[in-house]
Amino acid sequence: MSTTWHVLGAGSLGTLWAARLARAGLPVRLILRDKARLASYQAVSGLTLVEQGQARTYPVTGETVDSPEPIHRLLVACKAYDAPGAVAQLEHRLAPDAELILLQNGLGSQDAVAAQLPLARCIFASSTEGAFRESDWCVVFAGHGYTWLGDASHPTAPLWLDDLRGAGIPHEWNTDILTRLWRKLALNCAINPLTVLHQCRNGGLQDHQCEVATLCAELAELLECCGQPAAAQDLQAEVERVIQATAANYSSMYQDVANGRRTEISYLLGYACQAATRHQLSLPHLQQLQVRLVNHLSAHGLPSD
Ligand code: NAP
């Protein structure tokens, strides 16, 4: 009998994973934030995933944190700012051998969760898949990609990667997951805040090449200082490639701000600036970027943490 996949958070990525695991016949249970959300979910017939214009509904069982069943495998699919609190509510249900897969973008929330649960195995993930909520319980699979998974303290891959293979979730075990997460954080810091401040698509940053180059130089210095030289390599060239390849897209931070949603700033630019302070590094442009972004968010009535 396969171990049940408990999925915490039925948003974009949580639904994308839960639907594909359920489609492969694997046992999946969705953990929703409260009774009201559970009642709303139970009023529909399951999770709907829209792929290439085709919608299919998967009848995944929902529950709240108060459900009694022990949890052996937990996919944490909340935003970075919600993850530690949401996991804490489930602590009493985690089996001694529990494994958690943390899908959060940026850095900081994974360490916070791991520190709460010293006995559990916490696997960090970095994904280039893209999905968005069309409505409650209905998610559009918008961009095919890859998910890298790794555990900075144990290089051995878990056996359940076979479940992902069976479910058609493209993935790779990565023994250097921190390098991948740092690199993604640096790319995000060089692009996303500027798209918010200049109110432009990613391609609009081609008009701000000097600003981007200065930020890349400071970010590379930070990565080196944080023991991540591989993540620093050719950073500017990759940032320029990403800007070109995604020129028509609005960054995720731009979309969050445009839709009045809280951003994950504390786990991206905020995390980078905190690391710089810890290492007593002076990175004036990065720090100024954070001040400008925080002011912009406050001016739009959005939280700046
Ligand atoms: P999302 O659509 O906002 O989904 C987050 C879900 O977490 C929501 O359904 C929310 O519940 C739920 N949640 C929050 N607190 C909870 C709690 N205490 N108990 C139960 N559920 C709780 O976010 P997302 O886009 O999937 O992003 C998740 C993470 O993946 C982020 O760190 C993001 O940066 C990263 N990521 C996303 C994508 C993407 O394409 N979406 C791609 C790569 C990485 P409610 O529905 O009740 O609000």
Side-chain angles (χ1 to χ4, degrees):
M1 179 66 184
S2 301
T3 301
T4 297
W5 283 83
H6 280 90
V7 177
L8 177 60
S12 311
L13 274 201
T15 299
L16 183 59
W17 279 63
R20 289 179 295 179
L21 291 165
R23 180 168 63 192
L26 293 160
V28 184
R29 293 179 78 90
L30 269 183
I31 304 176
L32 304 169
R33 63 165 83 235
D34 53 32
K35 286 201 174 81
R37 291 298 280 158
L38 181 60
S40 155
Y41 177 61
Q42 284 171 340
V44 299
S45 44
L47 288 177
T48 299
L49 183 63
V50 183
E51 243 179 311
Q52 287 159 347
Q54 301 271 33
R56 279 197 61 187
T57 300
Y58 302 90
V60 175
T61 306
E63 63 182 43
T64 64
V65 289
D66 303 322
S67 187
E69 198 188 328
I71 297 171
H72 295 272
R73 187 177 304 144
L74 181 68
L75 182 74
V76 182
C78 307
K79 287 281 172 61
Y81 46 76
D82 281 328
V87 170
Q89 288 182 303
L90 284 175
E91 205 173 329
H92 64 287
R93 289 181 58 191
L94 293 174
D97 63 346
E99 289 181 293
L100 286 81
I101 300 107
L102 307 174
L103 286 180
Q104 287 61 51
N105 207 356
L107 282 163
S109 70
Q110 302 91 338
D111 282 342
V113 170
Q116 277 169 216
L117 308 169
L119 299 181
R121 185 178 194 194
C122 288
I123 287 165
F124 297 8
S126 175
S127 182
T128 57
E129 292 195 309
F132 65 88
R133 279 202 255 192
E134 196 167 67
S135 56
D136 261 357
W137 326 118
C138 177
V139 162
V140 178
F141 192 175
H144 287 263
Y146 230 78
T147 301
W148 286 267
L149 301 140
D151 175 348
S153 47
H154 290 281
T156 322
L159 294 174
W160 48 256
L161 290 187
D162 281 345
D163 281 9
L164 305 192
R165 220 162 285 127
I169 298 175
H171 68 281
E172 192 176 288
W173 183 251
N174 187 311
T175 50
D176 215 354
I177 191 71
L178 285 179
T179 297
R180 188 162 282 281
L181 284 163
W182 267 110
R183 177 72 161 200
K184 195 173 176 205
L185 178 143
L187 289 166
N188 186 300
C189 289
I191 297 173
N192 294 23
L194 286 181
T195 63
V196 172
L197 295 169
H198 291 302
Q199 286 292 289
C200 66
R201 294 173 198 260
N202 291 357
L205 299 186
Q206 281 157 340
D207 298 337
H208 302 277
Q209 277 175 3
C210 265
E211 204 175 5
V212 171
T214 311
L215 284 176
C216 287
E218 290 192 356
L219 284 161
E221 197 183 334
L222 175 67
L223 292 169
E224 296 272 357
C225 203
C226 292
Q228 294 293 334
Q233 239 171 12
D234 302 323
L235 178 64
Q236 189 186 333
E238 192 177 351
V239 166
E240 284 168 2
R241 258 199 314 276
V242 171
I243 288 174
Q244 216 167 41
T246 61
N249 299 357
Y250 286 110
S251 73
S252 53
M253 193 177 271
Y254 178 100
Q255 291 180 45
D256 282 342
V257 176
N259 291 304
R261 290 190 301 248
R262 182 174 175 184
T263 69
E264 294 182 300
I265 176 181
S266 290
Y267 302 87
L268 296 159
L269 184 56
Y271 186 88
C273 288
Q274 258 185 18
T277 306
R278 229 181 9 255
H279 289 282
Q280 296 180 325
L281 259 187
S282 162
L283 302 176
H285 295 88
L286 201 67
Q287 271 139 357
Q288 187 55 28
L289 183 68
Q290 192 194 21
V291 171
R292 286 160 67 199
L293 186 60
V294 163
N295 288 341
H296 184 94
L297 295 176
S298 304
H300 286 76
L302 290 171
S304 51
D305 61 350

